[in-house]
Amino acid sequence: MGKTTRQVRLLGTLIGYLADSLLGDPKRGHPVAGFGGVAAVLERVTYRDSRIAGVVHVGVLVGAVGVLGAMLQREAERRGPLWSIAATATATWVALGGTTLTRTAQAMAELIGRDDVEAARGLLPSLCGRDPARLDRAGLTRAAVESVAENTSDAHTAPLLWAAIGGAPAVLAYRSINTLDSMIGYRTPYYSRFGWAAARLDDAVNYLGARVTAALVVLCAPAVGGSPSGAVRAWRRDAPRHPSPNAGVVEAAFAGALGVRLGGPTHYRHQLQIRPTLGEGVTPSVADLRRAVLLSRLVQTASAAAMALCAGIGFSVVGRNGR
C-alpha cells in the first residue's frame, strides 16, 4: 500500500471521527443493530455446545462483513480518492460509539446525582450487560465508570486504529467481532464453548487498542485532576489479575488515574463474577463518574489528534516527494 493510500485512509478515519463527534450513533436503522439481529437469527441454526460450532458461527458472520467491506472499498478506490475517503469515513462512523458512550454516561451521572435510581437502572443496559436490578446507587456508579473505561477502547480507540490500518473492511470486521463478543462471549455453561471463538478473537483485535487507550489515559490524567503515576501503577499491578487481558488494562488505568477503586462482585444477567480490585482509592462517586466521562472525551480527542498529526506529516512528505 502506497503512502497516498495510507493518508487517504487516515483522512477518511478522521472524517468518520468528526461525524461521530457531531452526530453520535444513527437514531434509527443502525447497521450494528441490524448485524446483531442477523447474528441472533443465525445462532438459532448454528448453535451447538461446541467450539467448532462457535468458530463456524463467527467465521460466517465476520467473513461476510469483511467481504462486503472489501467490495465497498475496492469499488470506492476504483472511482477515485474522494470515494475512498467517503467509504472509510462512513464505515468508521458506523463502527465508532464514543460520543454516544459519553452522552449516555453523562445522563447516568445526572440520574444518579438526582437519586433517581430506578431511571438509572433503566439506562444502564445502554452502557453494559450488568443486571441493574441488583445494583444500588454505588453499584450503578461503579458499573458506569467501568463501562466508560472499557468502551473508551472498544467503542473508540480500537475501531479508530483498525480504520486507519485497513480502511472499511478492517473497521467493519472489528465491529462485527466486538458485537459478537458482547452477544455470545460469556463464560457461562451455555456459551462457554460456543462463544469461545468470539471471545478469543475479540481479545486479539482489542489488544493494541486497549494499551493505546491506557497510555492516553496516563497522558490525559492531569487534565481531570488525576494521577499519571497512579494510572501507571494500577495498570502494571492490577491489570494482570483481571480475567480480560484488555478490559483490565483500561479499567485499571482509569481507576489509578481517578484515584478510585473498581472491581469486586459484578452481577451479570447470566452469573455473578468476583472481579479483582483495581486501584487503591475509594468507591467511585457521581463526581468521579463525571471525571471519567471527561477523561474519556479527552482520550478520544487525543487519539484523533495523534492520527491527524500522522496524516499531516504523511501528506507533507508526499507533497515534497511529488515536487
Side-chain angles (χ1 to χ4, degrees):
M1 182 172 63
K3 288 182 179 178
T4 302
T5 301
R6 286 197 293 270
Q7 305 318 313
V8 163
R9 287 187 179 177
L10 278 172
L11 184 56
T13 301
L14 290 170
I15 293 173
Y17 160 74
L18 291 174
D20 179 66
S21 298
L22 294 172
L23 304 173
D25 289 336
K27 299 298 182 183
R28 294 182 180 178
H30 199 303
V32 175
F35 172 82
V38 171
V41 171
L42 183 63
E43 184 182 336
R44 299 172 193 165
V45 178
T46 58
Y47 179 83
R48 302 290 187 279
D49 188 18
S50 74
R51 288 184 176 183
I52 293 176
V55 169
V56 171
H57 181 75
V58 171
V60 168
L61 289 164
V62 176
V65 170
V67 168
L68 287 173
M71 292 171 61
L72 170 67
Q73 191 76 55
R74 189 179 300 112
E75 178 63 19
E77 289 173 353
R78 187 185 68 79
R79 289 170 177 253
L82 289 179
W83 284 89
S84 185
I85 290 170
T88 300
T90 302
T92 302
W93 175 45
V94 166
L96 289 176
T99 297
T100 296
L101 168 68
T102 54
R103 287 175 180 173
T104 306
Q106 186 62 42
M108 176 71 75
E110 297 303 320
L111 292 173
I112 298 173
R114 296 199 301 264
D115 284 323
D116 194 345
V117 173
E118 286 305 314
R121 285 173 176 161
L123 184 60
L124 187 67
S126 299
L127 283 174
C128 59
R130 309 285 173 88
D131 183 357
R134 294 177 174 269
L135 299 179
D136 57 9
R137 190 175 188 270
L140 290 165
T141 305
R142 194 198 102 195
V145 172
E146 291 174 352
S147 178
V148 167
E150 180 177 3
N151 285 298
T152 298
S153 176
D154 288 8
H156 178 79
T157 310
L160 208 65
L161 287 171
W162 281 110
I165 291 169
V171 72
L172 293 176
Y174 167 81
R175 178 50 62 202
S176 68
I177 292 166
N178 191 248
T179 301
L180 288 171
D181 178 63
S182 70
M183 296 177 70
I184 64 174
Y186 296 103
R187 300 180 181 185
T188 62
Y190 188 81
Y191 281 125
S192 62
R193 283 177 284 273
F194 183 74
W196 173 84
R200 297 292 76 77
L201 195 55
D202 186 72
D203 287 344
V205 298
N206 277 299
Y207 188 88
L208 177 61
R211 282 143 187 86
V212 170
T213 301
L216 291 174
V217 167
V218 173
L219 292 176
C220 296
V224 296
S227 169
S229 61
V232 172
R233 185 166 56 251
W235 176 1
R236 290 179 174 176
R237 183 193 61 218
D238 300 333
R241 298 186 289 115
H242 196 280
S244 168
N246 301 317
V249 167
V250 288
E251 288 180 20
F254 263 77
L258 298 172
V260 299
R261 185 178 67 255
L262 301 176
T266 304
H267 292 276
Y268 291 95
R269 291 187 180 88
H270 306 283
Q271 63 182 159
L272 169 66
Q273 294 184 11
I274 305 300
R275 294 289 179 84
T277 299
L278 307 174
E280 301 173 317
V282 297
T283 301
S285 64
V286 175
D288 293 319
L289 174 55
R290 293 192 177 103
R291 291 170 65 216
V293 171
L294 177 57
L295 182 56
S296 177
R297 286 174 175 157
L298 291 170
V299 167
Q300 292 179 40
T301 302
S303 63
M307 229 163 255
L309 179 62
C310 291
I313 292 172
F315 279 121
S316 176
V317 170
V318 170
R320 286 199 301 271
N321 291 342
R323 285 182 220 168

